[in-house]
Amino acid sequence: AQSVSQHNHHVILSEAASLELGCNYSYGGTVNLFWYVQYPGQHLQLLLKYFSGDPLVKGIKGFEAEFIKSKFSFNLRKPSVQWSDTAEYFCAVNRGDYKLSFGAGTTVTVRA
Amino acid sequence: EPEVTQTPSHQVTQMGQEVILRCVPISNHLYFYWYRQILGQKVEFLVSFYNNEISEKSEIFDDQFSVERPDGSNFTLKIRSTKLEDSAMYFCASSVDNNYGYTFGSGTRLTVV
């Protein structure tokens, strides 16, 4: 079945450590790719998106993601995390239709 | 920054009752959506709405569900006869076009008892 897969269910790391969250999708054709973040008790917020052009996209709060078409991947990275990055992170894919398909999410816990 | 507003933030209802979840999308957005997230599960698409009609719906969105844009600002989700398994966080979203990037509301937590 076509889907969005996030490899890690829960990631625990210390402040200043580097973060990389994996996301793979199984759709063929043109896709639009998103990463959303959900801080505890808050709504989904858009971190960054890729539609076309430079496959390395920069988002808010120091996050970036790289689209690798041959690997059907859109991994999220941050060189140095802070305690305030503790949240749940969702990868999502749009195929030019009317909906987003979400991955299961990765919970990131940053220890001070 | 423009926001999508959802009310109420939390609603408790008895099984079999009708509920209406309300959303005020961003004013210049043309596409509207409802998603839900059952506790511990992924965010799931329910329905999209454009030009006063449903443009796409998922298999979850059965005859018990309906959406409406009763005026120029509100976008509602109605569940006619709630079931225990309808308990979830319901998110409204809106966008300028259908793949630009959605703005989500803060959600309504629906608890069916």
Side-chain angles (χ1 to χ4, degrees):
Chain A
Q2 295 179 329
S3 66
V4 180
S5 301
Q6 291 184 238
H7 311 303
N8 309 99
H9 179 63
H10 193 179
V11 172
I12 302 172
L13 59 168
S14 301
E15 275 193 312
S18 64
L19 172 70
E20 180 161 0
L21 303 180
C23 174
N24 286 87
Y25 61 94
S26 61
Y27 307 111
T30 302
V31 293
N32 301 311
L33 301 158
F34 306 83
W35 275 97
Y36 282 86
V37 61
Q38 189 176 26
Y39 298 103
Q42 296 189 28
H43 62 281
L44 292 161
Q45 297 176 41
L46 181 65
L47 270 180
L48 48 78
K49 58 183 183 282
Y50 173 80
F51 290 161
S52 63
D54 189 344
L56 184 63
V57 293
K58 295 192 184 297
I60 60 172
K61 303 177 190 284
F63 285 91
E64 64 180 29
E66 184 175 13
F67 170 54
I68 302 178
K69 189 174 181 179
S70 61
K71 295 185 178 180
F72 296 86
S73 69
F74 189 56
N75 292 353
L76 180 72
R77 298 195 290 254
K78 184 170 184 177
S80 176
V81 295
Q82 302 170 312
W83 176 80
S84 57
D85 292 321
T86 294
E88 189 152 17
Y89 293 80
F90 295 93
C91 179
V93 176
N94 171 277
R95 293 172 286 163
D97 54 11
Y98 294 98
K99 65 183 181 184
L100 285 174
S101 296
F102 283 84
T106 299
T107 301
V108 173
T109 302
V110 180
R111 292 177 169 160
Chain B
E1 187 176 331
E3 290 184 347
V4 173
T5 306
Q6 289 186 244
T7 55
S9 57
H10 190 187
Q11 179 152 1
V12 181
T13 189
Q14 290 201 326
M15 190 169 53
Q17 295 297 304
E18 175 183 286
V19 294
I20 297 176
L21 309 183
R22 303 182 189 279
C23 171
V24 178
I26 293 173
S27 60
N28 66 332
H29 285 187
L30 302 176
Y31 295 79
F32 315 110
Y33 312 86
W34 283 100
Y35 286 77
R36 79 172 185 189
Q37 185 180 24
I38 295 172
L39 187 64
Q41 298 185 24
K42 63 171 67 177
V43 178
E44 301 172 293
F45 169 78
L46 291 178
V47 66
S48 61
F49 191 86
Y50 170 71
N51 200 27
N52 286 316
E53 60 183 22
I54 291 173
S55 44
E56 188 169 353
K57 60 183 181 179
S58 72
E59 58 188 22
I60 302 168
F61 194 88
D62 61 22
D63 292 342
Q64 292 298 313
F65 291 87
S66 63
V67 289
E68 193 176 34
R69 190 158 161 81
D71 52 42
S73 59
N74 291 286
F75 179 52
T76 61
L77 174 69
K78 183 194 300 187
I79 309 175
R80 288 190 184 81
S81 178
T82 50
K83 303 187 284 283
L84 294 176
E85 53 265 38
D86 293 327
S87 295
M89 181 73 87
Y90 288 81
F91 293 103
C92 174
S94 68
S95 64
V96 171
D97 63 30
N98 69 333
N99 60 15
Y100 180 76
Y102 304 26
T103 300
F104 282 85
S106 55
T108 293
R109 180 167 296 285
L110 176 65
T111 302
V112 182
V113 296

